[in-house]
Amino acid sequence: MSGATLVFEFDSPADEEQFIRDYLTEAWNRFETNEYWETGWFWRYRQFAEYESGPDGGLVRLVFDGDADELVEQEADRWDKHSGLASWRLLRYEDEEYESLFDQQTDTRGELGGEWEYRMKPLLSRFALAYYREFENTLPPVGEKSDENPLGLGFWSAFHNLMVQCGYNWYDETEVCQRAMKNRLKSIASYRGAEAAREEYQRLLDDWQAHHQELERWLNDNPTGQASEP
C-alpha cells in the first residue's frame, strides 16, 4: 500500500458539485470495503473559484493510502461517464519520496499532529458525504434569523453540536473558534495577500467590539446563572 492523490478537474463549479453528489456519495462505501483502499479523504475547491487563487472551474482531490492502480482500474470508467469532468490525473506520494500518505502527514504536521489528522480526516469525509445525502441544498454558513429560524442556525451549529457530542465545554468551543479565526487569517494572507488578511482582521475586530452592546442588552433582558445544565 502506498499514498496517492487523484486530481479531478471540472468544467464548472456546478459540475464539481454534481460529481460529489452523484459519484462520491455512492462510491465511498465501495472504497472502504475494497482491498485497494486502506484509508483516505477528499477535498473540494469550487468555493474558491471566484478568487484569483482558486480553480477556474471545479476541483476535487481524492487523497488515500492504498493500491492506486487497482482503484483506477475499477473506477476510471465511472469517472469518464461524468459529462462535466474535464480531466483526471494520478499523483503518487512515492514520487515525493514518501512511502505513504501517513508518512507525508507526519512529516508535514509532526508525529502526533500528523497521526491525529490521518485518523480524523476520513471521519470528516464520511460526515461530509452523509451531509450531502441528507441535504439536497447546502445550508448557509450562518442562517438569517427569522420566525422560521429564530436562532439563525446554519452550518455553524454543526461545529457546536459536534463539540458537545464529543464532550467539550463552553470554553473549549470559544478557544476553538478563536484558533480557527487566527488560522484563517494566515490562510487568507497566503492565498490573497497581506492586505486581504488585514482587512478581514479589522472586520472581525469591528464586529466583535460592536457586539459588546448587543451582549449587554441580552444580559439585561435574560435570566443568567440559573441554568442547571448546558
Side-chain angles (χ1 to χ4, degrees):
M1 295 290 183
S2 59
T5 295
L6 278 159
V7 181
F8 301 93
E9 295 182 324
F10 301 89
D11 295 330
S12 72
D15 291 318
E16 177 200 299
E17 177 80 9
Q18 217 48 47
F19 182 82
I20 294 284
R21 292 185 176 276
D22 292 349
Y23 172 71
L24 271 192
T25 54
E26 62 86 19
W28 208 261
N29 184 65
R30 189 164 62 248
F31 293 164
E32 295 190 323
T33 56
N34 199 298
E35 292 184 356
Y36 61 61
W37 182 273
E38 184 172 333
T39 190
W41 53 88
F42 73 93
W43 302 113
R44 61 176 305 183
Y45 295 91
R46 76 175 179 86
Q47 61 270 36
F48 304 111
E50 64 182 283
Y51 303 107
E52 291 183 1
S53 57
D56 292 332
L59 175 64
V60 170
R61 288 192 174 102
L62 180 62
V63 185
F64 64 98
D65 266 338
D67 185 334
D69 294 325
E70 183 65 20
L71 189 154
V72 168
E73 182 177 344
Q74 293 200 29
E75 297 292 324
D77 287 346
R78 294 183 174 94
W79 307 334
D80 292 337
K81 291 177 183 177
H82 189 79
S83 60
L85 179 62
S87 66
W88 63 266
R89 65 186 186 277
L90 177 68
L91 306 176
R92 302 177 190 272
Y93 278 90
E94 60 192 30
D95 295 338
E96 301 177 25
E97 299 183 354
Y98 292 115
E99 291 185 3
S100 66
L101 176 56
F102 179 82
D103 289 341
Q104 186 269 343
Q105 291 286 287
T106 54
D107 182 62
T108 58
R109 289 164 170 78
E111 183 176 353
L112 183 59
E115 179 191 347
W116 286 350
E117 289 270 278
Y118 186 76
R119 294 165 61 187
M120 185 163 47
K121 287 174 181 174
L123 300 179
L124 299 176
S125 289
R126 294 183 201 119
F127 166 78
L129 293 170
Y131 165 72
Y132 295 130
R133 296 184 195 103
E134 181 67 24
F135 291 94
E136 182 178 350
N137 298 311
T138 54
L139 301 179
V142 177
E144 293 186 12
K145 292 184 178 181
S146 64
D147 291 341
E148 294 79 17
N149 188 11
L151 299 180
L153 296 180
F155 197 78
W156 71 266
S157 59
F159 291 97
H160 163 68
N161 294 327
L162 182 62
M163 292 202 71
V164 172
Q165 290 166 348
C166 290
Y168 297 99
N169 65 29
W170 312 279
Y171 304 106
D172 296 327
E173 191 168 344
T174 56
E175 185 177 359
V176 164
C177 293
Q178 188 177 54
R179 176 60 183 270
M181 288 191 291
K182 292 177 180 178
N183 181 278
R184 292 303 84 196
L185 288 173
K186 292 177 181 177
S187 184
I188 289 171
S190 295
Y191 287 95
R192 304 198 62 219
E195 193 55 37
R198 294 188 182 102
E199 290 175 0
E200 179 63 3
Y201 171 79
Q202 191 61 52
R203 186 190 71 81
L204 293 169
L205 181 61
D206 292 345
D207 184 71
W208 190 240
Q209 289 175 334
H211 180 66
H212 180 258
Q213 291 183 349
E214 179 183 342
L215 175 62
E216 287 299 324
R217 285 195 297 270
W218 189 92
L219 294 174
N220 290 329
D221 294 342
N222 292 274
T224 60
Q226 299 177 21
S228 60
E229 61 181 43

